[in-house]
Amino acid sequence: MRWKWITIGTAVLVSALTLAGYVALKTYDFDKLRPAITKTVKEATGRTLTLGRMNLRIGLIPVLIVEEMSLDNPAWTSRRDLFRVRRMEVELALLPLFRKDVQVKRLLLIEPDLQIETDHSGASNLVLPVVAKEGKSSFWERVGLPSVSFEKVVVERARLSFKDQGSSTPLLVRVHNLEAMAGSFQSPVTMNLRGSSRGVPFSVQAVTGSLEELVRRDKPWPLSAAIQALGAQLKMKGSVQDVIRWAGFAVAFEGKGKSTKEVSKLMGLSGLPDIGPFRVAGTASDRAAKVYRFSDLTMRSRGGEVSGTLEIDLAGKRPSLRGSFSSQKLNLTPLLPPKEVKSKKRKEEKVFSEKTFRPALPTKIDADLKVQGKQLITPYGSLQDFLIDFSLREGSMSLKALRGAIDGGLIEGEVECRSGMNHLLLAGSFKVQKLELRSILTDMGARKDVEGSVDGEMEFNTSGDSVAALMARLNGKSIVRIGKGRIRNHCLEPLERELGLPVAVFLGSTGNREDFTEVQCAVSGFQIREGLAVVSALVVDTP
């Protein structure tokens, strides 16, 4: 009987305390808390917190409601508030409140608006100037609470924007719905998010470290996430030392997608060629502030497989890229314009197109990229054992080195390209050794009308706004040497018409246009001035 009365007495006592708590909460004017809360936040962070009307909704779980809330920004930012929230609802566990233990069962944020900004030095407005208070070491001690824990956080219709000091418009991300759950303040956080950017919907599923680890920041914060957008998927796993500054991170990632063109839309890029389905994997880290490194990088697409390292430097006045890659087989056909299909033209049309183009070389980024590999395929032929060394500087594009082999022959060269007001400036040089003409014509899909081994050198410079203009202003020189070979007779007909002489007959040909004229060797030299090539040497040795 004693246990019965003890149980009944305990139940009555708990009920009485609960009832007393509800009555106290119901009759308490929570608006009186506003000055104390704003003062505490000001002392703890140095920022001003503005709270709207506060009230409590009584039920099985009490809900604290705050209408309108905002936290101010540093003076250097472009807007007054770091964040604004139209409505906040906090569902609290009742009994732990008597122990000053705030257990948030559910935190609901409706229409929060957060803008993250960085200044020229890289400092973020998320970094709060925490004000030290004598005898108080932690945030919770300054607030006067021993602990605060969240079980579930729900965000609806959020607006998140990112803005660098040098950019005119921020990058806007809309979060339609976000749910984050944690068993306790010390438990991992599970997160599900649906949102959109630039009109493209995406979703994120993530598991992160605990809120306690996030607040303490005494060790790397673990992170694992999966992102889906436009038929592409990206998985990542790693850690971040400083989440607020997103510094000291190391993340392994792998992704795949159906189209690079679709993914470029999400990144705000346009005009990029589509190389179809792709896979990418590697490790991303920050080597220094605003300097990001991608190691063990592999990319697979219909263009082949490329591996290497890439470094992106955003710390200077101009972004820069530095990378070194290798490939067994690289197909540039999807990235380059196709070979022009010959059409029947009027005789008075020029050989070179007069169609104007507007040169638009990138002027806001620098780059140094090197690619080498076993085979390089283009619409105009293929190279073996190739090397491409490319750089970009303030609108000047340099092919510092191009080397490769074609059926035992060698080709090497360099080209510099700069864009003027309305024209393109080109300069460069090429050297070839033991190139078999028959193989080159086969790769280009042309008729095999010329055979022989070629050695040659060429230097050139020109400018213009069309192919015809570039050829009309061409300056330079060339030397070409052809070893034992032959040429089909009909290729000599244009020269015969110009000279009015039977060149093929002079060279010992039968005169049949489909027959070949044998050539023991040939040497030609040209000096080119303003599009006019003047013969400096021309020797042909035939039987």
Side-chain angles (χ1 to χ4, degrees):
M1 289 293 292
R2 187 192 313 176
W3 289 108
K4 175 182 176 181
W5 289 110
I6 291 175
T7 303
I8 294 174
T10 302
V12 171
L13 178 61
V14 171
S15 299
L17 289 174
T18 303
L19 179 61
Y22 273 121
V23 172
L25 292 172
K26 182 69 175 176
T27 57
Y28 186 79
D29 185 2
F30 280 85
D31 274 337
K32 293 181 180 179
L33 288 174
R34 187 186 296 107
I37 294 174
T38 55
K39 180 182 177 182
T40 302
V41 172
K42 182 72 172 180
E43 291 177 351
T45 68
R47 300 278 185 89
T48 300
L49 178 69
T50 303
L51 297 173
R53 180 171 177 78
M54 302 172 62
N55 60 78
L56 185 72
R57 186 173 68 213
I58 298 296
L60 293 176
I61 299 177
V63 180
L64 178 64
I65 300 173
V66 181
E67 303 286 352
E68 302 291 344
M69 179 176 65
S70 64
L71 184 69
D72 73 342
N73 245 333
W76 55 265
T77 56
S78 62
R79 76 176 200 179
R80 185 182 63 183
D81 301 320
L82 169 62
F83 71 80
R84 299 187 288 265
V85 179
R86 188 177 70 80
R87 181 184 175 94
M88 180 176 73
E89 297 183 5
V90 186
E91 297 181 5
L92 302 170
L94 181 60
L95 291 180
L97 285 175
F98 292 100
R99 304 189 303 269
K100 287 190 175 181
D101 183 8
V102 179
Q103 293 185 11
V104 178
K105 308 293 290 184
R106 182 174 181 265
L107 173 63
L108 173 63
L109 301 175
I110 299 177
E111 296 183 12
D113 185 349
L114 169 66
Q115 179 160 304
I116 301 173
E117 296 190 46
T118 55
D119 63 10
H120 291 297
S121 66
S124 169
N125 62 338
L126 286 179
V127 180
L128 301 176
V130 178
V131 180
K133 195 172 183 179
E134 186 177 354
K136 305 288 186 179
S137 58
S138 71
F139 175 80
W140 307 120
E141 289 177 316
R142 289 193 293 274
V143 174
L145 296 171
S147 67
V148 175
S149 62
F150 296 85
E151 288 187 15
K152 188 174 185 179
V153 177
V154 178
V155 177
E156 295 181 356
R157 302 187 298 279
R159 188 178 186 273
L160 181 62
S161 51
F162 304 86
K163 186 176 187 296
D164 287 330
Q165 189 71 6
S167 61
S168 56
T169 57
L171 169 64
L172 176 61
V173 176
R174 296 190 181 276
V175 178
H176 308 314
N177 179 265
L178 181 150
E179 289 189 2
M181 292 162 283
S184 67
F185 197 62
Q186 294 78 29
S187 301
V189 179
T190 302
M191 184 186 309
N192 291 287
L193 181 151
R194 292 186 303 104
S196 63
S197 178
R198 296 186 172 96
V200 177
F202 65 88
S203 64
V204 179
Q205 295 81 42
V207 177
T208 70
S210 67
L211 294 176
E212 181 181 53
E213 293 172 317
L214 179 62
V215 172
R216 290 176 60 179
R217 292 193 291 177
D218 58 349
K219 61 181 181 179
W221 194 58
L223 169 67
S224 176
I227 305 171
Q228 295 86 31
L230 293 170
Q233 301 176 8
L234 177 65
K235 295 180 180 179
M236 59 182 69
K237 186 175 183 179
S239 63
V240 185
Q241 184 68 50
D242 188 340
V243 177
I244 299 299
R245 294 181 175 87
W246 197 255
F249 70 88
V251 178
F253 63 90
E254 60 179 53
K256 62 180 180 179
K258 298 178 180 178
S259 168
T260 54
K261 187 176 183 179
E262 291 297 323
V263 174
S264 65
K265 292 180 182 178
L266 185 61
M267 301 173 64
L269 303 175
S270 60
L272 296 181
D274 186 11
I275 57 175
F278 66 92
R279 287 181 176 271
V280 61
T283 302
S285 60
D286 55 337
R287 194 172 61 81
K290 289 192 172 184
V291 180
Y292 309 106
R293 183 176 178 83
F294 296 86
S295 307
D296 303 320
L297 190 61
T298 60
M299 296 171 285
R300 299 182 184 92
S301 70
R302 69 185 184 192
E305 180 175 339
V306 177
S307 59
T309 61
L310 177 66
E311 187 171 284
I312 303 175
D313 189 345
L314 305 178
K317 294 182 179 180
R318 295 165 54 84
S320 67
L321 302 176
R322 288 187 294 273
S324 178
F325 302 94
S326 62
S327 175
Q328 289 293 316
K329 183 178 181 180
L330 184 59
N331 187 358
L332 297 184
T333 303
L335 306 179
L336 299 175
K339 290 185 295 185
E340 293 185 2
V341 179
K342 293 184 178 180
S343 60
K344 294 182 179 179
K345 299 182 179 180
R346 295 175 300 175
K347 291 183 179 180
E348 62 268 20
E349 280 191 33
K350 289 190 174 183
V351 174
F352 301 108
S353 172
E354 294 183 286
K355 184 178 180 180
T356 59
F357 50 73
R358 292 183 177 274
L361 298 178
T363 58
K364 297 181 179 180
I365 188 170
D366 295 335
D368 286 287
L369 301 174
K370 184 182 292 185
V371 185
Q372 57 186 351
K374 290 294 184 182
Q375 185 181 23
L376 176 68
I377 302 173
T378 75
Y380 318 102
S382 61
L383 291 176
Q384 286 76 41
D385 298 321
F386 69 91
L387 168 66
I388 301 174
D389 193 350
F390 165 88
S391 71
L392 186 65
R393 290 285 185 279
E394 298 183 0
S396 176
M397 185 170 63
S398 297
L399 186 61
K400 296 189 291 184
L402 171 64
R403 293 199 297 269
I406 303 178
D407 286 339
L410 298 176
I411 180 171
E412 58 181 331
E414 57 184 19
V415 179
E416 183 170 352
C417 177
R418 291 185 291 118
S419 55
M421 292 296 293
N422 292 306
H423 59 276
L424 203 63
L425 293 91
L426 289 172
S429 64
F430 281 97
K431 180 185 292 185
V432 297
Q433 298 177 16
K434 298 181 180 179
L435 288 188
E436 291 294 334
L437 290 174
R438 185 180 180 89
S439 298
I440 296 175
L441 295 173
T442 300
D443 286 342
M444 297 180 64
R447 288 187 56 173
K448 306 171 195 58
D449 292 331
V450 183
E451 298 176 9
S453 176
V454 176
D455 297 318
E457 300 176 18
M458 181 178 185
E459 298 177 5
F460 66 91
N461 65 81
T462 185
S463 64
D465 59 357
S466 67
V467 177
L470 290 172
M471 297 305 294
R473 297 170 184 165
L474 184 64
N475 294 283
K477 62 181 181 180
S478 72
I479 300 174
V480 177
R481 297 174 293 275
I482 302 178
K484 185 175 178 60
R486 59 181 187 168
I487 182 171
R488 201 180 295 272
N489 291 339
H490 75 81
C491 295
L492 300 173
E493 291 178 356
L495 183 59
E496 291 181 339
R497 287 195 296 268
E498 292 293 329
L499 298 177
L501 296 171
V503 176
V505 175
F506 288 165
L507 295 179
S509 170
T510 61
N512 188 330
R513 67 188 309 272
E514 291 301 321
D515 286 347
F516 284 90
T517 295
E518 299 293 329
V519 177
Q520 302 282 29
C521 67
V523 178
S524 69
F526 289 91
Q527 296 289 336
I528 308 170
R529 295 290 182 269
E530 295 297 321
L532 179 63
V534 178
V535 177
S536 58
L538 180 57
V539 178
V540 180
D541 180 15
T542 73

